[in-house]
Amino acid sequence: MVPVLLILIPLITGLALFAIPKEATAKALALFASLLSLAVMLAALSIWKDADHLVYNQPWLGALNSRFHFELDGMSQLLCLLTTFSFPLIIYSTWDNSYKDGNRFMGLLMLSQAGLLGVFMAYDALLFYFFWELALIPLYFLCSRWGGEKRIAVTFKFFIFTFLGSLLMLIGIIMLYNKAGGSFAWTDFIRLKFSFKEEAIMFSLLFVAFAVKMPLFPLHTWQPDTYEQAPTPVTMVLSAIMAKMGVFGLLRWLLPVMPTISFQWGDNFATLGVISMLYASFIAMKQDDLKRLVAYSSIAHIGLMVVAIFAPSTGGIQGVMIQMFNHGVNILGMWIVVNAIEQKLGTRKISELGGLAQKAPALTILLVIVALANIAMPLTNAFIGEFMMFNGVLGSTATKFGVAYAAAGGLTIILSAVYTLRMIQRVFYGDTNAVTQQASDVKLNVQVALAIIVVAILAVGIYPKPLLALTSDVTNQIMTRIFIK
Amino acid sequence: MNAIIFSAILGVVLMFSGIFFTNKATVRNIANVGMLLLLVANLFEQNGHHLFHINTNNLLHFTKFGLVFNSIAIGCTLVYMLLSGRDIEKVGVNVAEYFSLIFFVLCGVAIVSSFNSLLMLFLGIEIISIPLYILTGSDKRNLKSNEAALKYFLMGSFSTGIMLMGITLIYGAKASFSLEGMNPAVHHERDLWFTSGLLLLLISMSFKVSAVPFHFWTPDVYDGAPTVFTSFMATIVKAGAFIGFVRLFSNVFTESDYNWKLVLAIIIAATLFIGNITAVFQQSVKRMLAYSSIAQAGFMLFALYSANGLSQDGIILYTLGYSLATIGIFAVLIKMKDYTFEGFNGLARSQPLLAATTTVSLLSLAGIPLTIGFFAKYFMLASAIRSGGSLWLVVFAVLCAVISVYYYFRVIQAMYFKEGNPEIEPVTPAFRWILVAVAATVVILGVFPNLILQFLYF
């Protein structure tokens, strides 16, 4: 029941919003629906914990033997929680952003929420593919219609990259389907035995799709442009949630299904992760646009997750899951700040800003906490995740290069501290200038949204046990499959 | 049999209706009712109610596959006439004849979907082609239309000649016109005449479905013909020819026939590549659709390549999805004054409904999930993979599908994201509703393709 509710609430709201021309009403309805989704998700975490509520399995396409099979295991719960937690914040914190045809904007946003939730819950590969695309297409329209100046070309590049990835994934899924004797079920996939060549082909096909989405070097080139050109609420969805689709895909559909290649080729992918981290960190240091800075920092963080996945260990994998949630929360906080600055001052250029702390003290305090989380300070949520990942990579028996990876990862943490702190220094401290002279503190809604994020950051940072408990079963499951195979 | 006889009779009725009714709208209404009648008659037969019992001497063989396809072809023609009927009136003065020719084409399609003898295939193809030559040139005062008709006629006759030659050679080798006689189990001696005959048939059928390298007539003819008939030619007629192609070769090509598979794979790859690449460079949406129809033919050819149960289902879905979506786009295109991509700029602002339905159709043609086009492409790729076909070809097809996104989305970008003031002829509420119904069908079948596939199994 929960999976159906989680998908239907945003889906129906999204479609209904097209018929509600008034922007304020549309926003209110979207906010209400997203809060309702959150309520359902919280209920699933506390009251409706039994399989009756968390599993939905009905026939869909008889001829293809595909089923409407959704399940909320620990990892799904964590990511659905991230999605349902983020959407109300995204809508609420950007309440004052006004859009032409705002109702359509909100409608498409809601549709993409339905797609994202479907991706995280699907246990049927065809269903997974369906929702994967459902999440993508609204975003194409959102970016192309409401984005910045170069939006059409940039979004098109984004769409082509992801669509190519998706289609290659589809071929991989069809091959798996044939191999599984005509079944799309995840439970059938994980029982398959492959020859090395078969596994290599299918693995590569699926991997490209996930790598594009994360994004992983060298398939990342669409990302900074798209993040920059997309309207900020959409950038929030893209980076806080959608980037996790790729990581999730690796953990759900690649590692348990095709562990041999993950092992044999793991070092290559971990190296790509390392390149991603270092490369993106160095570029981030040179950025003058706040959006691009956050975009590159996101590539760096995702890179570390890739390293931890391909140098697998129980702690590392669990760290990745927690970090998916944490990274979503933290980057959402960063975007809220960027959006607030852009809305207030009309610029995102670091060189044009300065001294904001004098004018907007509340914003500054909240941002600094979010930024500290972004660079994984102890007592913040990201510390837990990154610590577990580093620990896992160092202790991984699957790779000989654990130390090297960890050293490179440590370097990126330092680099991330450099660019994040420098950004804070240049934007918030120092003297005010002509642009920031007129600034005042941000509105209450932004403060509330940021405060909620800060609470989440500290709560997970100080007491991560509930989240760890949520993911331990899935982690063990994945690790057992890897070692049994 | 119902469809063949009814369409022939209705064609004659329509031809004479022009004498008795001078009002164009009356003729159109008769045609619409006739088409509905034809559909009902075919559905009757599909459910086992044969209105005629004629001994066809095994020249025709009615299968579920053929009958379901007939229903799709007739249903799509009905949608086409409801959407574009008024535009058929505007082409010239001989309205009744245009409708009559459409019925004759359908008669040919019904024969091609059920032939069991090469003679009937030839007859069916000719019954389809000759009315089309006339329809292409129906805009008599337009030089481009005349040129297109002549080109089409010359090239068409040429390919017919090749087909006849092929049939002759096969008859010489097998002493039979029957499809059953072409079963691979029978021709193990690999007769040279037989193989040459088949090759000639392959060439002529490739010509009819505009597969590369026999596609050169397509863009010019599609461009020159009155747009309303281009819509018909590019969809129902093309699908009909494809069904004939599939019926013919699904008996001959087996999964182990490596040499044939290689030839087909090259044709498929070339068709996909040339169709998609040239479509990218078009400035007119009409010509883009002409090239895209070549590209789509490349995907449909997978039905021949893999020749298994999945591809049979797939080609049915594909023809339906492709026809519906293309009819939808052409219906909108006909209403536009300017056929270039720029002509579509800002259509979403002035005509949101038309833009939305066009978008759904374009997404379907691009094969995006939640539309029937996705399942059409899915079945084609899945059938190729299941038959153990080459992975490179499947990956290549996917790359080409990504290229196709470029030109399909150019129209979407023009409609939604660019400013402009497109000139558009007035449209009736009925037109809008039918367009919405078409888009809704594309989406509903995109989520539940079973609705159409179950017809094949009961």
Side-chain angles (χ1 to χ4, degrees):
Chain A
M1 186 188 75
V2 171
V4 179
L5 276 179
L6 280 179
I7 288 170
L8 280 186
I9 293 170
L11 191 68
I12 293 172
T13 319
L15 294 174
L17 282 174
F18 284 91
I20 297 170
K22 212 167 156 218
E23 191 177 346
T25 324
K27 268 185 190 164
L29 186 63
L31 182 61
F32 174 74
S34 57
L35 284 170
L36 199 62
S37 304
L38 178 61
V40 171
M41 194 56 226
L42 291 176
L45 287 170
S46 52
I47 326 164
W48 297 328
K49 282 174 160 178
D50 51 311
D52 278 354
H53 286 105
L54 298 183
V55 178
Y56 183 81
N57 192 348
Q58 293 291 325
W60 173 33
L61 302 173
L64 293 176
N65 192 19
S66 176
R67 301 178 70 82
F68 268 117
H69 184 182
F70 297 110
E71 250 181 78
L72 275 163
D73 62 2
M75 181 164 57
S76 306
Q77 287 181 5
L78 195 69
L79 288 165
C80 290
L81 179 66
L82 172 67
T83 313
T84 49
F85 173 79
S86 304
F87 267 87
L89 283 178
I90 292 170
I91 297 168
Y92 185 55
S93 68
T94 59
W95 192 263
D96 294 327
N97 296 21
S98 184
Y99 301 100
K100 211 170 181 181
D101 302 323
N103 62 324
R104 292 186 193 164
F105 185 89
M106 287 293 154
L108 289 168
L109 211 57
M110 286 277 111
L111 290 181
S112 81
Q113 185 186 2
L116 287 162
L117 288 167
V119 166
F120 294 140
M121 295 188 292
Y123 262 69
D124 179 287
L126 193 65
L127 199 62
F128 172 75
Y129 183 82
F130 239 66
F131 279 97
W132 181 277
E133 294 290 306
L134 178 62
L136 165 71
I137 291 160
L139 286 190
Y140 166 75
F141 282 98
L142 282 167
C143 298
S144 296
R145 175 81 174 78
W146 288 278
E149 223 170 89
K150 288 182 284 180
R151 62 187 191 276
I152 296 178
V154 163
T155 315
F156 197 58
K157 185 175 169 188
F158 154 66
F159 189 80
I160 291 279
F161 263 79
T162 28
F163 190 59
L164 175 64
S166 305
L167 283 175
L168 293 176
M169 172 164 81
L170 182 65
I171 299 177
I173 289 177
I174 296 173
M175 292 173 86
L176 281 164
Y177 168 79
N178 285 336
K179 183 83 188 161
S183 164
F184 286 108
W186 181 80
T187 40
D188 290 331
F189 279 11
I190 54 170
R191 288 199 204 99
L192 294 174
K193 299 255 184 285
F194 307 92
S195 70
F196 186 81
K197 193 183 161 201
E198 275 176 342
E199 191 170 333
I201 292 173
M202 295 180 205
F203 185 97
S204 313
L205 290 167
L206 264 69
F207 182 78
V208 172
F210 300 144
V212 166
K213 209 76 167 191
M214 285 192 278
L216 183 68
F217 178 88
L219 298 168
H220 68 286
T221 57
W222 60 270
Q223 190 249 32
D225 294 337
T226 310
Y227 281 18
E228 183 192 352
Q229 292 294 321
T232 312
V234 177
T235 315
M236 292 173 178
V237 175
L238 275 170
S239 60
I241 313 165
M242 198 169 259
K244 311 302 175 299
M245 275 164 57
V247 185
F248 170 83
L250 290 181
L251 289 175
R252 163 85 17 107
W253 295 98
L254 266 192
L255 236 53
V257 179
M258 294 177 260
T260 316
I261 295 289
S262 314
F263 254 52
Q264 302 244 2
W265 292 359
D267 281 331
N268 301 325
F269 300 128
T271 310
L272 281 184
V274 167
I275 296 174
S276 268
M277 284 180 339
L278 292 172
Y279 163 89
S281 299
F282 280 115
I283 295 184
M285 290 170 68
K286 284 280 162 207
Q287 293 307 314
D288 190 37
D289 185 306
L290 280 172
K291 270 189 150 181
R292 289 186 83 87
L293 185 138
V294 181
Y296 277 109
S297 95
S298 178
I299 298 182
H301 285 110
I302 300 277
L304 182 58
M305 294 185 204
V306 174
V307 175
I309 288 174
F310 287 105
S313 66
T314 310
I317 297 281
Q318 202 170 11
V320 172
M321 289 187 201
I322 305 257
Q323 191 58 8
M324 279 200 270
F325 181 82
N326 294 337
H327 177 255
V329 171
N330 298 347
I331 203 157
L332 187 57
M334 297 294 279
W335 288 126
I336 291 175
V337 175
V338 172
N339 181 60
I341 292 176
E342 190 182 6
Q343 289 295 316
K344 207 153 204 58
L345 303 171
T347 178
R348 299 189 305 252
K349 292 256 183 292
I350 295 174
S351 53
E352 291 173 12
L353 298 164
L356 265 181
Q358 301 164 31
K359 302 289 173 186
L363 178 70
T364 312
I365 295 167
L366 293 166
L367 167 78
V368 168
I369 300 175
V370 175
L372 291 180
N374 205 32
I375 55 179
M377 277 281 283
L379 283 189
T380 63
N381 56 359
F383 175 73
I384 309 290
E386 297 212 343
F387 177 78
M388 290 179 77
M389 287 196 282
F390 275 116
N391 205 12
V393 170
L394 275 171
S396 172
T397 48
T399 175
K400 293 190 293 264
F401 309 109
V403 179
Y405 296 148
L411 182 60
T412 53
I413 291 201
I414 298 170
L415 292 175
S416 112
V418 171
Y419 61 73
T420 312
L421 295 178
R422 199 161 68 177
M423 181 271 286
I424 293 176
Q425 192 186 5
R426 288 172 64 192
V427 173
F428 289 90
Y429 295 98
D431 295 328
T432 52
N433 58 23
V435 178
T436 50
Q437 189 62 44
Q438 315 301 327
S440 58
D441 216 335
V442 286
K443 284 199 175 165
L444 187 67
N445 62 331
V446 178
Q447 292 186 22
V448 170
L450 277 175
I452 293 172
I453 284 175
V454 165
V455 169
I457 286 172
L458 295 176
V460 177
I462 294 166
Y463 189 63
K465 205 176 154 204
L467 288 193
L468 292 175
L470 205 58
T471 51
S472 61
D473 280 354
V474 191
T475 312
N476 290 334
Q477 216 180 21
I478 293 175
M479 290 309 286
T480 336
R481 294 206 196 286
I482 291 177
F483 287 111
I484 285 178
K485 283 201 175 183
Chain B
M1 202 69 199
N2 292 3
I4 298 175
I5 291 178
F6 268 84
S7 57
I9 293 173
L10 284 164
V12 176
V13 168
L14 257 296
M15 207 155 65
F16 281 103
S17 73
I19 303 173
F20 299 108
F21 303 101
T22 44
N23 187 350
K24 288 177 176 181
T26 316
V27 174
R28 190 181 75 231
N29 290 333
I30 295 174
N32 286 341
V33 172
M35 195 56 73
L36 195 65
L37 213 69
L38 186 57
L39 182 62
V40 171
N42 190 67
L43 285 174
F44 257 82
E45 186 160 19
Q46 199 180 310
N47 290 306
H49 304 286
H50 307 280
L51 301 178
F52 305 92
H53 291 280
I54 298 171
N55 181 8
T56 63
N57 287 319
N58 214 16
L59 290 174
L60 292 169
H61 179 58
F62 297 99
T63 57
K64 197 107 220 173
F65 175 71
L67 291 173
V68 171
F69 175 73
N70 283 353
S71 298
I72 288 175
I74 298 166
C76 287
T77 314
L78 183 62
V79 172
Y80 156 75
M81 292 208 314
L82 290 174
L83 277 174
S84 310
R86 284 168 197 274
D87 300 288
I88 296 177
E89 290 169 13
K90 289 178 197 150
V91 173
V93 283
N94 311 312
V95 180
E97 279 80 352
Y98 302 151
F99 284 114
S100 150
L101 289 172
I102 289 172
F103 277 98
F104 287 135
V105 170
L106 280 182
C107 180
V109 168
I111 292 175
V112 164
S113 72
S114 316
F115 74 94
N116 200 35
S117 152
L118 293 179
L119 282 181
M120 289 315 276
L121 171 71
F122 176 72
L123 215 58
I125 291 284
E126 282 305 281
I127 294 176
I128 292 175
S129 302
I130 292 168
L132 283 183
Y133 304 147
I134 305 169
L135 288 177
T136 307
S138 54
D139 190 359
K140 277 194 294 193
R141 276 169 294 251
N142 186 342
L143 272 182
K144 234 172 137 185
S145 172
N146 288 334
E147 185 195 325
L150 187 63
K151 197 176 234 173
Y152 195 15
F153 174 67
L154 289 176
M155 299 293 270
S157 317
F158 188 60
S159 89
T160 307
I162 293 176
M163 174 181 277
L164 265 186
M165 187 70 196
I167 293 175
T168 314
L169 289 178
I170 289 173
Y171 185 78
K174 296 281 161 201
S176 159
F177 289 119
S178 169
L179 265 197
E180 276 117 34
M182 293 169 65
N183 199 301
V186 186
H187 74 93
H188 50 81
E189 72 274 19
R190 305 244 169 231
D191 195 329
L192 181 67
W193 294 123
F194 180 76
T195 313
S196 319
L198 266 189
L199 195 64
L200 291 178
L201 274 187
L202 183 69
I203 291 172
S204 70
M205 289 307 281
S206 299
F207 178 89
K208 291 292 176 197
V209 300
S210 51
V212 173
F214 313 103
H215 67 290
F216 288 103
W217 60 276
T218 316
D220 291 339
V221 171
Y222 281 16
D223 199 27
T227 313
V228 64
F229 294 130
T230 309
S231 167
F232 184 60
M233 282 155 59
T235 53
I236 296 136
V237 175
K238 189 177 182 117
F242 244 108
I243 292 298
F245 206 171
V246 170
R247 273 186 63 87
L248 176 62
F249 284 107
S250 59
N251 279 12
V252 185
F253 295 155
T254 56
E255 296 187 12
S256 58
D257 237 341
Y258 182 76
N259 291 329
W260 282 113
K261 273 204 149 174
L262 191 65
V263 173
L264 261 179
I266 292 167
I267 292 183
I268 291 174
T271 307
L272 285 168
F273 185 73
I274 307 258
N276 279 301
I277 292 291
T278 31
V280 165
F281 296 103
Q282 300 308 311
Q283 297 308 318
S284 139
V285 175
K286 194 177 171 186
R287 275 187 87 87
M288 179 276 275
L289 286 172
Y291 279 106
S292 110
S293 90
I294 297 175
Q296 299 280 352
F299 256 101
M300 287 193 240
L301 281 170
F302 270 111
L304 284 174
Y305 180 75
S306 27
N308 50 24
L310 212 53
S311 66
Q312 295 253 322
D313 295 355
I315 192 77
I316 288 280
L317 259 188
Y318 211 109
T319 48
L320 176 64
Y322 165 71
S323 300
L324 274 183
T326 312
I327 288 170
I329 294 169
F330 265 107
V332 175
L333 185 74
I334 294 165
K335 302 288 177 194
M336 312 284 294
K337 291 262 162 59
D338 181 0
Y339 285 171
T340 61
F341 283 93
E342 285 71 34
F344 278 78
N345 282 358
L347 187 70
R349 193 155 301 280
S350 55
Q351 296 284 351
L353 193 89
L354 259 55
T357 48
T358 309
T359 305
V360 170
S361 300
L362 287 165
L363 291 177
S364 180
L365 286 179
I368 308 274
L370 291 178
T371 62
I372 184 174
F374 165 72
F375 274 108
K377 286 204 166 58
Y378 172 87
F379 271 88
M380 287 299 147
L381 296 177
S383 69
I385 293 172
R386 178 174 290 180
S387 75
S390 320
L391 186 65
W392 68 265
L393 186 62
V394 177
V395 172
F396 186 77
V398 159
L399 291 176
C400 289
V402 174
I403 298 175
S404 78
V405 166
Y406 176 80
Y407 51 81
Y408 290 134
F409 274 52
R410 251 179 98 185
V411 183
I412 297 179
Q413 285 169 353
M415 291 191 299
Y416 280 91
F417 314 134
K418 291 188 175 158
E419 299 294 327
N421 232 340
E423 279 185 73
I424 187 158
E425 286 174 28
V427 289
T428 59
F431 177 84
R432 285 169 199 275
W433 282 114
I434 298 163
L435 216 51
V436 169
V438 169
T441 314
V442 165
V443 173
I444 291 170
L445 289 178
V447 183
F448 302 106
N450 273 10
L451 292 176
I452 194 77
L453 288 179
Q454 66 189 10
F455 281 112
L456 284 173
Y457 294 111
F458 78 97

